[in-house]
Amino acid sequence: MYGSPVAEAPVIREPLHAPVAHLIRGGVVEGVHYGSVVVLGADGAVRFQLGDTEAAFYPRSALKPVQAVAMLRAGLPLDGELLSLTAASHSGEERHLAGTRRILELAGLGEDDLRNVPDLPFDPVVREAWVREGRLPSRLAQNCSGKHAAMLYTAKLNGWSLDDYLDPAHPLQQAIAEIVEDLTGQRIAQVTVDGCGAPLFAVSLQGLARAAARIVTAPPGTPEARVADAMREHAEMASGSGRDVAALMRAVPGLLTKDGFEGVQVAALPDGRAVAVKISDGADRARIPVAAAALARCGVDPAALAEFATGPLLGGGAVVGGVRPAPALTDDVLAATTAGAAYA
């Protein structure tokens, strides 16, 4: 796998997205979410695609499992909960803060060494409690702090400088970029800065799905397999209590999935079947219903996905509709559970 042929970078262009989800209120399509979806078979071939799956885009935090693989290849000695936290967009719960502190302690470092952007906890309930207690935004509470702590630990183990570990030219970020290209199977189209301050690499939606597939199908004990095992066994550490990402991994045995800001979701099954979703307007409410429809097209039992197939829309405190996958995704796949009731 490592060192396999790498294709040219995807083209940077305005993506040709298609309707992927409808907002239904009282039987009327009130809104339409555009986006792109790709489904890969176990052999890596594209089995279904909608929208623009080959244009360059930013996977945001959906790329964190790949970054974690790169850090393990560079010597990061973490497994279990702490490795899951390394690939996390966490909720800011106490377990996440404690885990990040532990990674920093193992590195002989402290919170002041982090260079991510200070923030409040991601989870609304945790954030409200944080504010009531008069606590201020912190680097530890920011949802990428586990990844940043692991980056610092990796850099220190290799004798690399710490103050500039987020510089794209830093040896750590160069090592991560190399693994991004290896697992996605394509050159990086563009490098910018993610919300947390870390380098962000533009690939294609197909490349993101391919990377997830390669992670779940890697031999036991490899960095890829260690990341997949850690995230699946400690799903709440990679996300948080009540998060849809953790719930989806519990609902579908063996599934590895990761979300990203701006409406990104990637998921892969143990045999290499994989899906990737990008919602063009970044709407989080459409992300999971569309991903569930893509997984059904991937062969996952729709019954296991029923709770994720729609997002309820309230009117006057009652459910009057919801966000549902567009017919192009559900036809002949979720007819019994979703498409048949699309305008009910």
Side-chain angles (χ1 to χ4, degrees):
M1 180 188 305
Y2 187 58
S4 56
V6 176
E8 291 302 311
V11 177
I12 298 174
R13 64 184 178 220
E14 181 179 351
L16 303 173
H17 292 303
V20 294
H22 290 166
L23 177 66
I24 312 296
R25 184 187 294 271
V28 173
V29 178
E30 185 176 30
V32 178
H33 290 292
Y34 282 68
S36 295
V37 180
V38 66
V39 175
L40 302 184
D43 60 356
V46 175
R47 300 303 185 193
F48 174 83
Q49 58 184 323
L50 182 63
D52 195 342
T53 67
E54 297 181 356
F57 90 115
Y58 293 121
R60 303 299 298 271
S61 287
L63 202 60
K64 283 178 178 174
V66 178
Q67 293 171 308
V69 168
M71 285 186 268
L72 290 184
R73 287 194 176 276
L76 182 68
L78 298 180
D79 280 297
E81 288 188 346
L82 296 185
L83 179 54
S84 184
L85 182 61
T86 295
S89 299
H90 66 70
S91 291
E93 300 167 31
E94 187 51 46
R95 71 173 114 184
H96 302 126
L97 306 186
T100 301
R101 290 191 193 97
R102 179 58 181 154
I103 296 173
L104 290 170
E105 288 171 0
L106 289 170
L109 301 170
E111 183 177 353
D112 290 343
D113 293 297
L114 294 169
R115 292 291 179 268
N116 58 321
V117 177
D119 201 358
L120 295 171
F122 177 76
D123 182 87
V125 175
V126 179
R127 182 169 60 246
E128 288 172 9
W130 189 281
V131 172
R132 283 197 305 271
E133 295 167 4
R135 303 170 75 177
L136 299 175
S138 79
R139 299 185 192 276
L140 205 64
Q142 198 269 338
N143 75 91
C144 302
S145 63
K147 178 183 76 174
H148 281 256
M151 285 181 170
L152 281 166
Y153 193 7
T154 305
K156 186 165 183 182
L157 286 169
N158 283 277
W160 297 329
S161 57
L162 301 183
D163 289 346
D164 61 342
Y165 75 93
L166 296 181
D167 188 328
H170 190 280
L172 170 66
Q173 302 304 336
Q174 291 292 300
I176 290 174
E178 182 179 359
I179 302 305
V180 169
E181 292 189 336
D182 176 57
L183 293 183
T184 62
Q186 60 190 181
R187 300 293 179 196
I188 293 167
Q190 185 80 307
V191 180
T192 188
V193 181
D194 209 338
C196 65
L200 178 61
F201 308 104
V203 295
S204 72
L205 205 62
Q206 287 189 25
L208 178 63
R210 191 159 45 241
R214 289 179 173 176
I215 287 173
V216 297
T217 57
T222 61
E224 291 88 342
R226 288 166 59 193
V227 169
D229 290 345
M231 293 181 68
R232 289 182 295 211
E233 293 170 12
H234 305 280
E236 282 78 12
M237 190 62 97
S239 54
S241 303
R243 293 273 293 279
D244 51 34
V245 177
L248 188 56
M249 283 196 275
R250 288 195 300 269
V252 182
L255 184 73
L256 174 69
T257 188
K258 182 70 185 73
D259 55 343
F261 280 164
E262 297 301 319
V264 181
Q265 190 79 34
V266 66
L269 293 158
D271 64 358
R273 287 173 291 158
V275 306
V277 170
K278 164 63 181 175
I279 307 301
S280 67
D281 61 359
D284 193 62
R285 66 185 181 185
R287 173 181 52 82
I288 281 292
V290 172
L295 284 168
R297 278 200 169 271
C298 203
V300 176
D301 183 359
L305 300 166
E307 68 176 291
F308 309 101
T310 183
L313 177 69
L314 303 182
V319 176
V320 296
V323 178
R324 299 192 174 108
L329 276 169
T330 60
D331 283 353
D332 303 322
V333 179
L334 295 178
T337 59
T338 302
Y343 299 98

